[in-house]
Amino acid sequence: MTATNRKSIGFLSFGHWTPSPQSQTRSASDTLLQSIDLAVAAEELGADGAYFRVHHFARQLGSPFPLLAAVGARTSTIEIGTGVIDMRYENPLYMAEDAGAADLISRGRLQLGISRGSPEQVIEGWRYFGYQPGEGQDDADLAREHTKVLLEVLKGEGFAEPNPRPMFPNPPGLLRIEPHSEGLRERIWWGAASNATARWAAELGMNLQSSTLKVDESGEPFHVQQAKQIREFRDAWKEAGHGFEPRVSVSRSIFAITNDLDRAYFGGTGEGKDQIGNIDASMRAIFGRSYAAEPERLVQQLADDEAIAEADTLLLTVPNQLGVEYNAHVIESILTEVAPALGWR
């Protein structure tokens, strides 16, 4: 393999915490502070991205922008991002302010992953946040409408009528959301579970995040279906004629077994295989396999993953409850023992 196969490699943390004595993250404070520390450690190791999953009503990371801003202030080169923010819960104008501030603090390193989200901890949780679909619409429509508003205001164009007697002087014309961060609009990603939503994201000019599950649309192996989704996304992007090149990420659970502790945690995983299941009453999904093996075997396995080959960005899902030191080791093992052999470094 050649250097042209280089991947942007980052980590993706779900930010779990539990008071269990076996967990290194026993509180929300532990998870937040360790998330910052892991991002700092990952940057020092040469990783390219620190990404965080967002779930509401759960013992996980729920408010991404304070965390993203803190990571941005403590680091200097690593991308900071989400994978993904559930747009059913979001006020898109308030979100644009928070995202603009986090991006400016990080000096333009924010990669904002958004989506409809997944089944949540409570029934129709977005209603508790004050949102509900319009007549004849469902929650997917709600998320898409919020997304369209966000994308529009991130352009930085004025739309709000200024007060003729403001407290502070206004610039001329209609007013926009502030703070505005130039370029952030091109760093919005959509987490797509189906081929159709991948095409929709491409039409709107959003980058693509494809996770460790997708709608089972053909019965083929997960990585084959995901690779086809990515190709459909790129075709739709080309047809839309956007003025910049898109990025595509895939997420994987990958563990290089290099010592006895790795073997104790993941040695029993075996070769692993895709799983089929329903994530809600109407969606049959295919879940991608996990990878856990000695580095030489991992190189062989990952070389056969068609979706990783199609993507430019690989996000390593990390077991954050095992602590910063161990997760830094997980990341370093991939960067040093696996990535070079695949031409990713």
Side-chain angles (χ1 to χ4, degrees):
M1 294 194 177
T2 67
T4 56
N5 292 319
R6 189 188 191 283
K7 306 289 183 191
S8 175
I9 302 175
F11 73 81
L12 173 62
S13 173
F14 279 55
H16 293 286
W17 61 272
T18 173
S20 167
Q22 285 77 38
S23 175
Q24 297 295 314
T25 53
R26 301 183 188 180
S27 69
S29 176
D30 288 343
T31 293
L32 288 163
L33 295 173
Q34 289 187 31
S35 295
I36 298 168
D37 290 342
L38 183 58
V40 171
E43 180 176 86
E44 293 172 351
L45 292 169
D48 301 298
Y51 287 72
F52 304 96
R53 184 68 166 93
V54 179
H55 278 118
H56 300 290
F57 297 104
R59 291 178 174 179
Q60 293 176 239
L61 299 169
S63 51
F65 292 107
L67 174 60
L68 294 169
V71 172
R74 286 280 306 278
T75 57
S76 58
T77 60
I78 197 168
E79 292 179 342
I80 58 174
T82 51
V84 290
I85 296 174
D86 188 335
M87 290 302 291
R88 295 174 295 185
Y89 287 77
E90 294 296 322
N91 177 321
L93 272 66
Y94 200 164
M95 184 179 183
E97 291 180 342
D98 283 349
D103 195 42
L104 291 169
I105 289 170
S106 69
R107 294 179 173 84
R109 289 181 283 129
L110 181 60
Q111 303 287 338
L112 197 62
I114 62 176
S115 186
R116 187 196 76 170
S118 58
E120 294 296 297
Q121 299 299 106
V122 300
I123 298 170
E124 297 182 346
W126 59 90
R127 294 184 185 272
Y128 295 99
F129 279 57
Y131 305 112
Q132 59 182 1
E135 186 175 351
Q137 295 185 321
D138 60 16
D139 62 309
D141 297 316
L142 175 66
R144 293 190 181 101
E145 288 303 314
H146 284 183
T147 297
K148 290 176 181 178
V149 174
L150 174 69
L151 296 178
E152 188 65 28
V153 299
L154 285 178
K155 293 178 181 178
E157 298 171 357
F159 62 90
E161 189 73 28
N163 186 341
R165 290 182 290 277
M167 181 177 293
F168 307 106
N170 280 323
L174 299 176
L175 302 183
R176 67 184 185 183
I177 290 291
E178 300 287 0
H180 172 70
S181 187
E182 194 69 35
L184 178 57
R185 170 62 182 83
E186 296 183 3
R187 286 179 273 117
I188 306 301
W189 305 57
W190 183 260
S194 68
N195 294 358
T197 52
R199 292 191 298 269
W200 177 81
E203 292 165 3
L204 267 64
M206 291 185 284
N207 304 290
L208 177 65
Q209 286 186 339
S210 196
S211 185
T212 52
L213 67 88
K214 72 177 296 294
V215 177
D216 184 12
E217 299 183 72
S218 68
E220 295 171 292
F222 171 78
H223 72 101
V224 175
Q225 292 196 49
Q226 193 176 45
K228 289 183 176 180
Q229 179 195 48
I230 293 170
R231 288 192 287 270
E232 287 198 27
F233 167 81
R234 294 193 188 280
D235 288 345
W237 186 281
K238 185 175 180 180
E239 291 176 11
H242 301 299
F244 62 101
E245 288 298 312
R247 289 179 61 183
V248 174
S249 72
V250 295
S251 303
R252 292 289 186 274
S253 297
I254 306 173
F255 303 99
I257 298 177
T258 64
N259 59 34
D260 290 340
L261 189 57
D262 297 330
R263 194 165 290 105
Y265 282 138
F266 303 107
T269 304
E271 290 292 305
K273 60 181 180 179
D274 296 342
Q275 301 291 326
I276 301 291
N278 291 325
I279 59 175
D280 60 30
S282 62
M283 182 183 295
R284 173 184 165 92
I286 183 167
F287 301 78
R289 56 170 292 188
S290 296
Y291 293 94
E294 284 71 21
E296 296 80 5
R297 179 62 181 147
L298 272 185
V299 169
Q300 296 172 356
Q301 294 173 343
L302 295 172
D304 293 332
D305 191 309
E306 293 184 19
I308 294 179
E310 289 283 346
D312 56 76
T313 300
L314 173 62
L315 300 182
L316 306 170
T317 60
V318 293
N320 75 283
Q321 288 178 282
L322 296 181
V324 174
E325 182 178 354
Y326 184 73
N327 280 290
H329 159 73
V330 167
I331 296 166
E332 183 177 25
S333 295
I334 300 301
L335 293 177
T336 60
E337 302 289 336
V338 176
L342 287 160
W344 300 348
R345 280 292 185 273

